[in-house]
């Protein structure tokens, strides 16, 4: 029986998976209308309206523009989502926090300390002039919570004894204390509105449900009041962007953790839950959130992070999601995940999976050059400074797809906001690479950043895909849209098959040194062993099914635990339970101590032995028969497998920028094989050898190339056109003299520029270094006699192109390619003895608009670089 999803993908009748940010900046409503029409023309079926900012957000001008958007959306079948605030990140609540009562505003726990040495009879400390309040804008004095003195080491910050409460010793603004013998640290703890990230000083308290209600009442309810009839039809829901704790004055310190001298998120619920967790008043212990205490700090720090991340989930994310579903729409969005911040304070939300718990899709973002081809290991420089290539390539997208696989609420759906603030250098070639990067990791929906109706050039975080008609690549945007929609639909079918699960590292990191989840993920993925990230919160629901870990709709052949110094006792119990049930549990790098007062600290070390990073792949490969195997290493090859019942769908992507992947692959299903080209919708037979439950095929993927294979019985593609497999003969290099003419975006007529006797970058300084647009290469060449040519099919390979190529041969349109491989099939009868070849090559706007963001990136050349070759094809 033909797979319905495959039929849909071949015919191109598929749902929309693209929802770009559509900025609303005010201005003529006619411009808003034109921009949305162009979005629809690009075969995009949804938009997210973002005030960036709109001068009349939720006012008359805003409603005028939204009315216009919805009218076009109804007519053209688009879904409209609302970015849920007047500015980003989500949490400003349209300015409602300004007039909100104090209990609904953000508060922070702050420590100031003074060191003292005793014995010192009659010592005193001035309290009244200490700064217990926030930034000047707040003008609200903080409240002194407690004064505590801790014995400390003479030669370090270590706290070495029990605290002495000195709060009652304050008289008329002065603390009086006879200091005992030794070295002491006197802590002045206060709670106030100031001290966190200044740009977020007037945001809601994400840990307080009543504060979140400010956002709901101000934005969500007002939009619902006006457009209730369109909720669940034209209106899809709301999008939250980068909400977080933002307690660190260094707003984007992605490594902000307990122990750093910064204010900490605080409210009455945090205080009460901490004391409940610890079974005693937590206040005397609070200095340990900042200072080491010989390991005594671990229990408090873990309890604090656990509490804050749970309150964020309960009182912010889940509240918004519940409201949306109660009103017939969905809630989507993402937090800041950069460089591991998803498990930390600062711009993070403390725990990625808890932050996503209320959303109907999991979400992440890739902006500002965070994912760059070729930089998948170690740090690399980008817009934000030093990016962690291992995290961005192996951790980021996997967070979203894993949450989508494990949480039934998400129905397998994960989104990624992408390519924003890369700069004008980022065109459809890179966008295609990033799309493949996301799809092969299980992300299903793409949020391109962005369409801007502002006057061109808009300096706000390009690229902008239409740019008021000035983006020369816009006419080809629909090709990427069709490609994305087809593959997204096909790759959501059936069951996701990942041999392994990797434990999320947040809880381990809260306790001490911990290997991030992306480390074993990288080792596995470089060996084509797919895996999901599994949070500890999910383990109690996990079962054992024939020695496999069963969780939600997923099954895993083993659970891999990144090495750490400590794990919480409840996590250790679950790991021991799974091991007792026969599920392989593999520790990478080290086996942790169990952090539990009064428990068996060595419970895990007695049971398990660590596997080194170097030996991980060898150790676990034999545990699965559900992975693609290669006859030679190919660290750049990524694999996604979906089991659709009658057939497997496999996506393979070579992410190298230098090396081809040429290998024999053993596919974990026996059957016939066809390749699916999502750019054209075509199916082509692939030679393979099936035996003993598997099928071997030969892979030949150039740098950046992808391949989608369908493996199973021919009934899976019954009734669909399948072309015969073919092989190329030796290639003939075409080296004519090329006539070149040029046109910028919107120009209907090409202007003659000159000739090239050899192909070279048009961006060379002596040619057209500042040209952005389309260069038309025209040449004539001779080949075999017309009669012989008419009987044969051929392939034209353009070699290197930067970056979009459209080809016409003898007046016949051979199509357009927006990314490698730039290979065009020439049907029999098109090639003649004397031939005219016309190649249109379109680059990005970076040459004509060298913007701020592109300055952080390596620039590619422009034009046709070749070599251009012609090959005869024969059926194989």
């Amino acid at each position: 029986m033909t797979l319905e999803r495959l039929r849909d993908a071949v015919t191109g009748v598929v749902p929309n998976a693209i929802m770009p940010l559509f900025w609303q900046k005010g201005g003529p409503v006619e411009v808003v209308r034109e921009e949305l029409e162009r979005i629809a023309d690009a075969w995009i079926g949804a938009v997210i309206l973002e005030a960036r900012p709109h001068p009349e957000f939720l006012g008359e001008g805003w409603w005028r523009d939204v009315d216009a958007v919805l009218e076009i959306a109804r007519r053209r079948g688009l879904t409209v989502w609302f970015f849920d605030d007047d500015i980003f990140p989500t949490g400003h609540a349209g300015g409602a926090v300004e007039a909100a009562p104090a209990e609904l505003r953000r508060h922070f726990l702050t420590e100031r300390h003074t060191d003292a040495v005793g014995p010192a009879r009659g010592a005193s400390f001035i309290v009244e002039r200490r700064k217990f309040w926030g930034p000047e804008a707040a003008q609200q004095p903080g409240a002194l919570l407690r004064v505590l003195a801790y014995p400390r080491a003479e030669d370090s910050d270590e706290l070495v004894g029990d605290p002495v409460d000195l709060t009652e010793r304050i008289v008329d603004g002065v603390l009086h204390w006879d200091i005992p013998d030794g070295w002491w640290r006197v802590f002045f703890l206060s709670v106030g509105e100031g001290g966190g990230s200044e740009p977020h000083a007037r945001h809601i308290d994400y840990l307080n449900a009543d504060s979140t209600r400010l956002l709901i009442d101000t934005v969500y309810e007002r939009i619902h009041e006006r457009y209730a009839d369109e909720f669940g039809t034209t209106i899809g829901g709301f999008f939250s962007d980068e909400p977080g704790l933002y307690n660190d004055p260094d707003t984007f310190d992605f490594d902000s953790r307990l122990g750093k001298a910064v204010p900490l998120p605080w409210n009455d619920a945090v205080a009460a839950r901490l004391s409940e967790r610890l079974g005693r008043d937590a206040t005397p212990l609070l200095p340990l959130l900042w200072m080491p205490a010989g390991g005594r700090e671990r229990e408090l720090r873990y309890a604090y992070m656990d509490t804050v991340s749970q309150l964020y989930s309960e009182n912010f994310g889940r509240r918004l999601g519940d409201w949306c579903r109660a009103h017939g729409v969905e809630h989507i969005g993402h937090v800041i995940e950069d460089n591991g911040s998803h498990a930390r304070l600062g711009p993070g939300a403390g725990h990625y999976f808890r932050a996503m718990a209320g959303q109907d899709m999991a979400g992440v973002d890739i902006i500002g050059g965070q994912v760059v081809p070729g930089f998948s290991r170690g740090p690399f420089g980008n817009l934000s400074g030093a990016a962690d290539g291992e995290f961005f390539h192996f951790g980021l997208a996997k967070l979203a797809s894993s949450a989508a696989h494990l949480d039934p609420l998400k129905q397998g759906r994960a989104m990624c906001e992408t390519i924003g603030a890369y700069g004008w250098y980022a065109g459809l070639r890179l966008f295609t690479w990033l799309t493949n990067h996301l799809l092969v990791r299980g992300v299903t929906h793409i949020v391109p950043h962005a369409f801007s109706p502002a006057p061109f050039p808009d300096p706000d975080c390009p690229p902008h895909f239409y740019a008021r008609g000035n983006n020369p690549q816009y006419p080809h945007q629909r090709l990427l849209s069709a490609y994305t929609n087809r593959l997204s639909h096909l790759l959501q079918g059936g069951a996701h098959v990942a041999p392994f699960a990797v434990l999320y590292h947040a809880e381990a990191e809260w306790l001490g040194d911990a290997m991030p989840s992306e480390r074993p993920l990288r080792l596995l993925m470089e060996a084509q062993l797919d895996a999901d990230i599994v949070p500890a919160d999910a383990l109690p629901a996990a079962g054992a099914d024939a020695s496999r870990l069963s969780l939600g709709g997923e099954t895993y052949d083993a659970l891999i635990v990144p090495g750490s110094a400590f794990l919480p006792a409840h996590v250790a119990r679950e790991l021991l339970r799974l091991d007792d049930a026969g599920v392989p549990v593999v520790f990478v790098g080290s086996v942790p101590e169990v952090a539990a007062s009064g428990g068996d600290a060595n419970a895990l070390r007695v049971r398990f032995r660590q596997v080194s990073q170097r030996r991980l792949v060898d150790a676990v490969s034999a545990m699965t028969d559900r992975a693609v195997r290669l006859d030679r290493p190919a660290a750049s090859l990524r694999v996604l497998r979906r089991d659709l019942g009658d057939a497997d769908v496999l996506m393979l992507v070579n992410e190298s920028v230098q090396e081809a992947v040429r290998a024999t692959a053993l596919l974990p299903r026996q059957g016939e094989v066809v390749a699916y080209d999502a750019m054209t919708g075509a199916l082509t037979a692939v030679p393979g050898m099936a035996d003993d439950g598997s099928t071997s095929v030969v892979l030949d993927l150039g740098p950046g190339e992808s391949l989608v294979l369908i493996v199973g019985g021919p009934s899976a593609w019954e009734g669909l056109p399948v072309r015969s497999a073919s092989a190329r003969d030796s290639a003939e290099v075409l080296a004519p003299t090329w006539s070149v003419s040029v046109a910028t975006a919107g120009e209907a007529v090409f202007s003659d520029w000159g000739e090239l006797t050899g192909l070279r970058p048009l961006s060379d300084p002596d040619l057209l270094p500042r040209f952005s647009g389309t260069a038309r290469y025209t040449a004539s060449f001779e080949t075999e006699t017309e009669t012989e040519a008419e009987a044969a099919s051929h392939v034209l390979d353009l070699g290197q192109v930067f970056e979009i190529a459209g080809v016409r041969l003898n007046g016949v349109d051979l199509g357009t390619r927006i990314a490698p491989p730039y290979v065009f099939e020439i049907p029999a009868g098109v090639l003649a003895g004397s031939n005219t070849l016309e190649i249109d090559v379109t680059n990005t706007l970076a040459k004509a608009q060298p913007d701020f963001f592109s300055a952080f990136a390596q620039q590619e050349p422009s034009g046709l670089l070749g070599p251009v070759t012609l090959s005869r094809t024969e059926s194989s």
Side-chain angles (χ1 to χ4, degrees):
M1 178 180 178
T2 307
L3 295 174
E4 289 304 315
R5 283 186 183 266
L6 181 59
R7 182 187 301 278
D8 296 342
V10 169
T11 60
V13 182
V14 293
N16 175 69
I18 310 165
M19 45 185 74
L21 296 173
F22 178 21
W23 291 346
Q24 302 302 302
K25 298 192 174 190
V29 69
E30 292 77 15
V31 175
V32 174
R33 289 180 178 276
E34 180 194 1
E35 193 83 12
L36 187 57
E37 294 282 7
R38 300 294 80 76
I39 292 171
D41 289 346
W43 298 348
I44 292 170
V47 292
I48 299 171
L49 298 187
E50 177 185 357
R52 194 160 172 111
H54 193 290
E56 299 178 71
F57 182 67
L58 301 179
E60 181 179 349
W62 169 260
W63 301 126
R64 175 203 65 212
D65 293 346
V66 175
D67 287 347
V69 166
L70 291 174
E71 182 275 319
I72 295 172
R74 287 190 296 270
R75 173 166 49 83
R76 303 207 60 174
L78 278 74
T79 300
V80 176
W81 298 75
F82 286 93
F83 189 107
D84 64 356
D85 218 329
D86 59 337
I87 56 174
F88 74 91
T90 293
H92 189 241
V97 179
E98 294 282 350
E103 62 269 19
L104 299 186
R105 298 198 289 268
R106 283 155 42 94
H107 289 79
F108 300 97
L109 175 68
T110 301
E111 73 88 14
R112 302 284 191 272
H113 63 261
T114 295
D115 288 321
V117 63
R121 184 179 178 187
S124 63
F125 304 82
I126 299 172
V127 177
E128 62 180 350
R129 292 188 179 274
R130 281 184 169 269
K131 187 178 181 182
F132 297 125
W133 52 87
E136 269 185 41
Q139 293 297 316
Q140 293 292 331
L144 182 63
L145 177 66
R146 196 74 61 92
V147 180
L148 300 164
Y150 266 87
R152 53 153 290 184
E154 177 185 1
D155 57 354
S156 74
D157 287 325
E158 193 91 9
L159 305 183
V160 295
D162 295 326
V164 178
D165 192 334
L166 304 178
T167 312
E168 299 303 319
R169 296 173 182 262
I170 300 172
V171 178
D172 195 23
V174 177
L175 169 66
H176 299 271
W177 183 39
D178 293 337
I179 304 173
D181 186 34
W183 284 264
W184 295 80
R185 178 156 289 176
V186 182
F187 293 92
F188 299 84
L189 302 177
S190 62
V191 176
E193 294 184 34
S197 167
E198 178 59 25
H200 307 88
R202 288 297 175 258
H203 279 57
I204 63 171
D205 178 1
Y206 301 93
L207 313 182
N208 182 336
D210 292 333
S211 190
T212 298
R213 190 72 215 185
L214 286 175
L215 174 63
I216 292 173
D217 289 344
T218 303
V219 179
Y220 287 60
E221 292 283 7
R222 300 248 338 248
I223 291 173
H224 179 259
E225 180 181 359
R226 187 175 180 97
Y227 301 117
D229 290 345
E230 305 202 55
F231 270 48
T233 53
T234 306
I235 295 174
F238 290 84
F239 175 95
S240 293
D241 189 46
E242 300 184 353
L245 298 170
Y246 294 108
N247 60 291
D248 196 325
D250 183 359
T251 300
F252 294 111
D253 180 0
F254 303 132
D255 198 33
S256 189
R257 315 187 201 195
L258 293 177
K260 183 180 180 181
V262 296
L264 301 176
W266 194 257
N267 61 26
D268 291 344
V270 177
R273 195 171 291 191
L274 264 184
S275 295
E276 181 183 351
R277 285 281 302 270
L278 298 173
R280 60 191 184 280
D281 180 12
T283 310
L285 302 174
L286 294 180
L288 277 61
L289 293 172
W290 293 275
M291 300 296 165
R296 291 181 298 154
E297 72 277 6
R298 282 195 293 271
E299 182 183 16
L300 177 69
R301 293 185 181 187
Y302 180 87
Y304 177 84
M305 289 300 298
D306 197 36
T307 294
V308 166
S309 58
Q310 285 178 351
L311 287 172
Y312 178 98
S313 179
E314 295 166 13
N315 295 323
F316 179 72
R318 292 179 187 268
R319 295 279 173 162
L320 296 181
D322 288 346
W323 185 96
C324 286
R325 287 181 289 277
H327 291 77
V329 293
E330 294 184 316
H331 182 228
I332 63 174
H334 71 95
V335 294
I336 287 184
E337 310 89 9
D338 305 36
N339 289 0
S341 62
H342 55 87
R344 299 172 188 153
L345 301 172
H351 190 289
Y352 176 80
F353 290 89
R354 292 177 183 174
M356 293 292 107
Q359 292 188 185
D360 295 279
M361 294 186 196
V364 291
D365 77 340
I366 294 173
I367 62 166
Q370 292 169 334
V371 174
V372 175
F375 290 96
S376 62
R377 298 183 180 183
F380 67 96
N382 72 350
L383 176 64
S384 62
D388 180 352
E390 186 176 60
F391 166 71
F392 283 114
H393 281 253
F394 296 99
L396 180 64
K398 278 295 185 178
L399 286 169
S401 62
S402 299
H405 295 151
L406 295 170
D407 183 356
L409 180 64
K410 293 166 178 53
Q411 302 174 59
R413 298 173 300 164
M415 52 130 286
C416 180
E417 178 187 331
T418 187
I419 214 165
Y422 267 66
W424 281 120
Y425 93 94
L428 291 176
R429 177 181 170 125
L430 176 59
F431 200 171
T432 302
W433 192 98
L434 290 172
T435 299
N436 287 334
H437 170 97
L438 293 168
L439 290 171
V440 79
R441 285 161 173 79
V443 173
T444 60
H445 287 70
I446 308 298
V447 177
H449 179 305
F451 279 88
S452 173
F456 178 81
D458 181 359
D460 186 359
C461 298
H464 308 130
F465 307 117
Y466 181 59
R468 301 286 289 272
N470 289 281
N471 188 337
Q473 295 196 355
Y474 165 76
H476 309 290
Q477 187 82 34
R478 63 179 59 184
L479 299 179
L480 180 56
S481 299
Y483 176 85
T484 304
N485 287 332
R486 285 167 167 163
L487 275 185
S488 170
H489 182 61
L490 182 61
L491 295 174
Q492 289 183 69
H496 171 238
V497 181
F500 300 108
V502 174
L503 185 66
Y504 184 46
H505 68 265
E507 286 86 349
E509 185 179 281
W510 298 344
L511 287 166
D513 292 337
M515 179 188 296
S517 307
E518 58 264 22
R519 179 66 47 76
L521 275 170
R522 175 178 66 79
L523 299 171
L524 295 169
M525 292 167 66
E526 287 182 341
Q528 295 74 55
L529 300 172
D530 197 9
D532 279 334
I533 305 172
V534 172
D537 290 349
L539 292 182
D545 181 5
S547 297
R548 285 179 175 162
L549 176 67
S550 175
L551 191 56
E554 300 284 326
T555 58
Y556 307 102
D557 296 309
L559 174 61
I560 295 169
V561 183
S564 61
F566 301 93
L567 275 179
H570 72 278
V571 177
R573 285 194 296 271
E574 292 300 330
L575 298 179
L576 292 167
R577 177 182 67 83
L578 292 171
D579 181 64
D580 288 339
V583 174
V585 178
V586 180
F587 287 82
V588 184
S590 64
V591 180
E593 181 180 328
V594 178
S597 56
D600 185 357
N602 292 314
L604 294 175
R605 292 174 174 172
V606 169
R607 179 81 64 92
F608 300 102
R609 294 292 178 266
Q610 63 92 14
V611 173
S612 68
Q613 295 181 46
R614 183 175 57 83
R615 291 194 58 250
L616 174 63
V617 169
D618 289 340
V620 302
S621 289
M623 297 177 181
T624 186
D625 59 0
R626 302 188 297 155
V628 172
R629 310 284 186 173
L630 302 184
D631 66 344
R632 64 196 67 182
S636 64
L637 185 68
R638 310 287 168 258
V639 177
L640 174 71
R641 180 186 176 197
R642 304 285 306 195
D643 182 348
L644 274 66
D646 291 337
D648 277 359
V649 177
L650 292 161
M651 184 177 188
L652 303 98
V653 180
N654 177 15
E655 294 188 338
S656 174
V657 297
Q658 300 166 322
E659 303 293 333
V661 172
R662 296 188 176 95
T664 298
L666 192 65
L667 311 180
R669 186 177 190 127
Q670 183 170 327
E672 298 183 28
V673 185
V674 296
Y676 171 65
D677 182 353
M679 285 291 180
T680 64
L683 294 173
T684 303
V686 175
M689 183 175 295
D691 182 51
D692 195 23
S694 60
T695 306
S696 62
V697 298
V698 175
L699 302 180
D700 187 356
L701 289 173
E705 293 182 10
S706 65
L707 177 66
V708 176
L709 299 177
I710 319 298
V711 188
S715 62
W717 47 86
E718 184 180 2
L720 299 176
V722 178
R723 300 182 302 185
S724 300
S726 62
R728 298 190 206 177
D729 288 345
S730 58
E732 173 191 356
V733 176
L734 303 182
T737 296
W738 299 91
S739 297
V740 180
S741 55
V742 295
T744 59
E747 289 185 336
V749 178
F750 282 79
S751 301
D752 291 339
W753 174 75
E755 291 187 342
L756 290 174
T757 55
L759 293 174
R760 52 185 288 215
L762 288 181
S763 49
D764 281 353
D766 59 329
L767 299 183
L768 292 169
R770 294 290 188 176
F771 174 75
S772 291
T774 300
R776 176 168 290 171
Y777 295 75
T778 305
S780 298
F781 65 93
E782 304 293 322
T783 186
E784 58 207 42
T785 65
E786 184 175 347
T787 302
E788 291 176 325
E790 287 177 349
S793 297
H794 292 73
V795 165
L796 181 71
D797 189 335
L798 302 185
Q800 287 191 301
V801 179
F802 297 94
E803 52 178 53
I804 298 174
V807 176
R808 286 170 299 280
L809 178 62
N810 298 328
V812 176
D813 186 355
L814 301 185
T816 300
R817 286 282 180 175
I818 60 175
Y822 296 97
V823 175
F824 299 81
E825 296 180 359
I826 304 174
V830 173
L831 196 66
S834 297
N835 301 277
T836 299
L837 178 61
E838 194 173 79
I839 304 170
D840 286 354
V841 177
T842 304
N843 66 351
T844 72
L845 272 170
K847 306 305 181 189
Q849 299 289 334
D851 62 286
F852 168 81
F853 299 92
S854 294
F856 292 88
Q858 174 181 326
Q859 303 298 302
E860 293 180 331
S862 297
L864 174 64
L865 275 61
V868 179
T869 61
L870 182 67
S871 305
R872 183 192 296 264
T873 59
E874 301 287 348
S875 296
S876 59

